[in-house]
């Protein structure tokens, strides 16, 4: 009975309003981050008031007055483009470093619970499954939508990706959607997972009937003529099951009780309900402060410098306008009318006899330090947004040592963020993708539990720590060479080469097959038998040359 009470619309609305209240104070902060760092992603539509204070909608033109803001210029208050450019670069770098569109950013391998005799067969099956999953990712809109999610992640620190199962006629079973964080309200579980999601949609009654054909709608909402155009706040909730069975409850309901709109006696009902074994929403954060639900972003850290640089450029432009047009003064002689003066070539400005007429006002001398201040501010903004770390290298050539040092530095700076992306993005995304393909029958149910099947992230960012380890080994080998051949002779060259190849991501088929100890001992015996004894060594000797007589051409 308790489970039934929790899924009642009144109880769900209370949870939804509580989730909105917890995120209300983030709204102004998010708006400032979007305004100065990603203006094109500002709120475009303002929904009808209601829904527990959730006054901005998801749909285009949702509610009253929303359509007036769509397509509106968003860069009116942005005078310095350093932050928007750095945000775009960091999002593109995350796309290429974490989930590159070219593929190859995940692998599956047999776990320790698999017997040694069965690991080879399982590895072949997992390699085939990886190719199938990768093919669906490449044929879907994943690269487009994950890039939009990375823009939200870099700007406001929290992003959400929705993975739905596409229809049978689609080229891929995956259909992705980057859900703006302003449309969402989350509940964090005790273990820290951000998988209790409320999403508000602004839909007409016709949209609701089309999206959920079996929805039971109140009669007074469908009979009115304006129901075709009027949009309503509809809440889509995906909540973890609390009965111990696992999975997620899926519930769709109106943000406000539609039965209370009239006296027709309609009872409040749920629009649609169901269950998910794996949640379609994947929410992930850049970093999280203790006690907070939503993430914090590098833009939030750089926001004071971003706003200061924006203001400095604005003042410089105003000063430049004054320098070009000037400030003028004139005597009140009764003849000169400042309202009719036009400073254009060829104009004649009348003045009284003895009057100074229109004269420029001299500006006081000053030392302009705006360039110095701007250079320092822009450098700090780029450093906070990791443009100098993950961006394109300015140097035309880099030595191997410089590449390894750069990899070690990036690994140190991004260790916390990358670990969180692995836990909140990569593993939930792959679990949902495998579940979708298992439902369609293209793949069997593959448990990514670390015992039977291990999921390995093999994107370029995952290689940073491995390259740092390789750099330490290479440095150790270089130091060994200074100790002489006795020191280098203690190194197993074959194992070292293969270990370095694995750390640098070199395909194993580029290496010579490894020899087992028996084969290696036999090879050494063959070499020893082919070598002549020390007393029987015969060295080829060139025939003696008689240099006493020189033949000189006549």
């Amino acid at each position: 009975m308790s489970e039934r009470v929790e899924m009642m619309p009144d109880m769900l609305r209370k949870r939804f309003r509580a989730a909105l209240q917890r995120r209300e104070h983030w709204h102004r902060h998010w708006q400032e981050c979007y305004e100065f760092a990603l203006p094109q992603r500002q709120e475009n539509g303002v929904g009808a008031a209601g829904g527990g204070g959730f006054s901005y909608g998801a749909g285009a033109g949702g509610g009253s007055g929303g359509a007036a803001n769509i397509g509106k210029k968003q860069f009116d208050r942005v005078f310095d483009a350093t932050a928007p450019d750095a945000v775009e670069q960091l999002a593109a770098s995350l796309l290429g470093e974490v989930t590159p569109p070219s593929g190859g950013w995940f692998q599956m391998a047999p776990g320790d619970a698999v017997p040694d005799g069965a690991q080879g067969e399982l590895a072949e099956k997992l390699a085939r499954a990886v190719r199938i999953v990768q093919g669906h990712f490449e044929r879907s809109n994943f690269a487009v939508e994950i890039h939009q999610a990375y823009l939200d992640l870099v700007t406001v620190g929290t992003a959400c990706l929705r993975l739905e199962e596409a229809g049978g006629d689609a080229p891929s079973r995956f259909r992705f959607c980057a859900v703006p964080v302003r449309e969402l309200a989350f509940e964090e579980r005790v273990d820290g997972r951000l998988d209790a999601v409320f999403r508000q949609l602004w839909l007409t009654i016709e949209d609701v009937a089309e999206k959920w054909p079996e929805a039971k709608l109140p009669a007074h909402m469908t009979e009115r003529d304006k129901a075709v155009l009027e949009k309503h706040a509809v809440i889509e909730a995906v909540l973890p099951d609390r009965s111990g069975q696992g999975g997620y409850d899926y519930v769709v309901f109106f943000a406000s009780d539609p039965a209370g709109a009239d006296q027709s006696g309609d009872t409040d009902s749920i629009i649609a309900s169901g269950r998910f074994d794996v949640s379609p929403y994947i929410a992930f954060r850049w970093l999280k402060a203790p006690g907070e639900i939503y993430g914090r972003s590098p833009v939030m850290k750089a926001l004071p410098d971003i706003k200061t640089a924006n203001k400095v450029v604005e003042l410089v432009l105003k000063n430049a306008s004054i320098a070009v047009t000037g400030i003028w003064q004139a005597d009140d002689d009764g003849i000169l009318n400042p309202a009719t003066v036009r400073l254009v070539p060829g104009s004649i400005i009348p003045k009284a006899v003895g009057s100074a007429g229109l004269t420029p006002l001299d500006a006081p001398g000053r030392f302009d330090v705006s360039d110095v201040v701007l250079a320092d501010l822009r450098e700090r903004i780029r450093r906070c947004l990791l443009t100098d770390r993950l961006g394109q290298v300015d140097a035309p050539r880099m030595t191997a040592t410089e590449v390894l040092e750069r990899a070690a530095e990036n690994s140190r700076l991004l260790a916390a963020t990358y670990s969180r992306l692995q836990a909140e993005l990569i593993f939930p995304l792959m679990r949902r993708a495998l579940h979708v393909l298992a439902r369609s029958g293209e793949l069997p149910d593959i448990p990514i539990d670390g015992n039977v099947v291990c999921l390995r992230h093999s994107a370029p960012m995952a290689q940073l720590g491995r390259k740092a380890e390789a750099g330490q080994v290479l440095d150790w080998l270089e130091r060994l060479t200074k100790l002489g051949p006795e020191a280098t002779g203690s190194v197993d060259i074959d194992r070292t080469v293969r270990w370095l190849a694995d750390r640098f991501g070199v395909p194993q088929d580029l290496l010579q097959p490894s020899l087992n100890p028996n084969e290696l001992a036999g090879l050494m015996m063959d070499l020893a038998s082919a070598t002549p004894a020390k007393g029987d060594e015969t060295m080829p000797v060139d025939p003696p040359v008689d240099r006493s007589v020189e033949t000189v051409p006549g």
Side-chain angles (χ1 to χ4, degrees):
M1 184 64 182
S2 61
E3 182 68 19
R4 181 181 176 85
V5 172
E6 290 179 0
M7 292 297 107
M8 293 295 290
D10 290 340
M11 183 61 66
L12 291 173
R13 290 192 188 99
K14 290 181 180 179
R15 293 180 62 179
F16 172 61
R17 294 189 182 100
L20 285 180
Q21 187 176 5
R22 284 191 295 268
R23 51 144 283 178
E24 187 63 29
H25 62 282
W26 289 89
H27 182 126
R28 184 181 296 273
H29 201 181
W30 289 345
Q31 187 62 22
E32 276 192 341
C33 292
Y34 278 125
E35 181 179 0
F36 292 102
L38 199 64
Q40 63 270 28
R41 294 295 294 272
Q42 294 187 71
E43 294 176 9
N44 290 326
V46 180
F54 200 85
S55 60
Y56 30 91
S64 59
N69 294 328
I70 296 178
K72 184 180 178 181
K73 292 188 297 183
Q74 304 287 1
F75 279 82
D76 291 343
R77 293 187 59 189
V78 177
F79 297 93
D80 183 73
T82 304
D85 179 68
V87 166
E88 292 279 356
Q89 289 192 38
L90 181 53
S93 298
L94 290 175
L95 177 64
E97 296 287 335
V98 179
T99 54
S102 58
W105 49 272
F106 64 92
Q107 297 291 333
M108 288 188 291
D112 295 335
V114 180
D116 296 339
Q119 287 198 359
E121 181 181 358
L122 180 58
E124 294 180 359
K125 294 181 179 180
L126 292 177
R128 177 180 174 275
V130 167
R131 291 193 297 269
I132 293 176
V133 177
Q134 185 61 50
H136 282 278
F137 273 111
E138 293 175 355
R139 295 191 300 270
S140 69
N141 61 339
F142 173 71
V144 177
E145 296 299 324
I146 192 64
H147 178 256
Q148 299 298 319
Y150 285 145
L151 289 173
D152 282 336
L153 178 69
V154 173
T155 306
V156 296
T158 306
C160 186
L161 191 69
R162 180 183 173 95
L163 172 53
E164 296 177 310
E165 185 175 354
D169 56 344
S172 172
R173 289 289 181 181
F174 301 155
R175 183 171 66 247
F176 293 92
C177 176
V179 185
V181 68
R182 62 175 177 268
E183 300 177 9
L184 302 169
F186 296 101
E187 288 181 349
E188 189 178 39
R189 299 173 70 174
V190 178
D191 57 2
R193 284 186 290 177
L194 203 67
D195 56 357
V197 182
F198 293 94
R199 182 186 181 187
Q200 180 162 337
L201 305 171
W202 289 90
L203 303 173
T204 64
I205 296 301
E206 289 187 348
D207 295 334
V208 173
E210 181 181 358
K211 191 173 179 66
W212 299 282
E214 299 180 358
K216 296 180 180 180
L217 301 175
H220 69 275
M221 300 183 69
T222 58
E223 292 175 353
R224 288 183 295 180
D225 296 336
K226 62 180 180 179
V228 178
L229 298 178
E230 184 180 359
K231 292 191 175 183
H232 303 270
V234 177
I235 309 303
E236 183 183 56
V238 178
L239 306 173
D241 182 78
R242 296 184 177 180
S243 63
Q245 300 178 359
Y248 297 82
D249 291 313
Y250 175 73
V251 188
V252 182
F253 56 95
F254 288 102
S256 58
D257 186 358
D262 65 354
Q263 303 298 327
S264 60
D266 292 331
T267 58
D268 190 8
S269 61
I270 292 176
I271 298 176
S273 62
R275 285 186 59 82
F276 286 109
D277 291 333
V278 181
S279 175
Y281 287 100
I282 299 106
F284 50 101
R285 296 162 287 192
W286 182 268
L287 61 86
K288 187 179 80 72
E292 295 180 348
I293 295 178
Y294 297 89
R296 293 188 174 270
S297 68
V299 169
M300 292 180 180
K301 181 173 64 174
L303 192 58
D305 288 333
I306 294 173
K307 295 171 68 174
T308 304
N310 194 71
K311 194 64 177 181
V312 169
V313 174
E314 181 183 0
L315 295 177
V316 168
L317 293 176
K318 289 181 178 180
N319 188 30
S321 177
I322 294 174
V324 172
T325 59
I327 301 177
W328 303 83
Q329 61 182 353
D331 295 334
D332 188 8
D333 53 8
I335 295 178
L336 178 64
N337 183 6
T340 61
V341 173
R342 297 183 61 194
L343 298 177
V344 296
S347 61
I348 299 176
I349 303 174
K351 74 180 187 69
V353 178
S355 173
L358 193 65
T359 58
L361 180 65
D362 294 333
R366 66 191 184 282
F367 176 67
D368 193 358
V369 296
S370 60
D371 292 340
V372 179
V373 173
L374 269 180
D376 186 46
L377 289 173
R378 288 168 175 168
E379 182 183 358
R380 288 205 298 267
I381 292 171
R382 294 190 184 98
R383 189 184 305 116
C384 287
L385 297 179
L386 303 175
T387 306
D388 57 339
R389 295 296 176 186
L390 294 179
Q392 187 175 2
V393 181
D394 295 333
R397 291 184 179 180
M398 293 180 65
T399 64
T401 303
E402 291 173 338
V403 171
L404 294 176
E405 288 295 332
R406 182 182 176 90
E409 183 69 11
N410 291 343
S411 177
R412 182 181 65 84
L413 293 175
L414 299 173
T417 300
Y418 172 65
S419 299
R420 182 172 291 276
L421 288 178
Q422 267 193 318
E424 296 186 353
L425 172 62
I426 302 300
F427 289 101
L429 174 63
M430 289 302 303
R431 191 177 298 113
R432 173 63 179 171
L434 292 173
H435 176 72
V436 169
L437 294 180
R439 279 175 49 88
S440 64
E442 294 191 41
L443 288 177
D445 188 12
I446 301 177
I448 309 178
D449 54 1
N451 295 322
V452 178
V453 177
C454 295
L455 178 66
R456 295 178 180 175
H457 189 220
S458 55
M461 185 171 288
Q463 305 294 334
L464 293 179
R466 300 164 68 89
K467 290 181 179 179
E469 293 177 0
Q472 296 176 355
V473 173
L474 289 176
D475 181 65
W476 173 69
L477 291 174
E478 183 180 357
R479 295 175 186 273
L480 282 183
T481 57
K482 300 179 181 180
L483 300 178
E486 292 82 2
T488 56
S490 61
V491 179
D492 190 337
I493 299 299
D494 182 71
R495 293 186 59 185
T496 303
V497 169
R498 295 182 185 280
W499 185 87
L500 290 174
D502 177 69
R503 288 299 181 268
F504 281 108
V506 178
Q508 292 295 322
D509 55 1
L510 298 182
L511 302 176
Q512 292 285 352
S514 59
L515 300 177
N516 56 45
N518 295 331
E519 293 175 341
L520 185 60
L523 180 61
M524 296 300 295
M525 292 179 61
D526 294 340
L527 291 176
S529 62
T531 303
K534 190 171 184 179
D536 299 336
E537 291 181 352
T538 57
M539 298 296 293
V541 180
D542 295 334
V545 179
D546 187 4
R547 299 184 180 275
S548 60
V549 179
E550 293 184 358
T551 304
V552 180

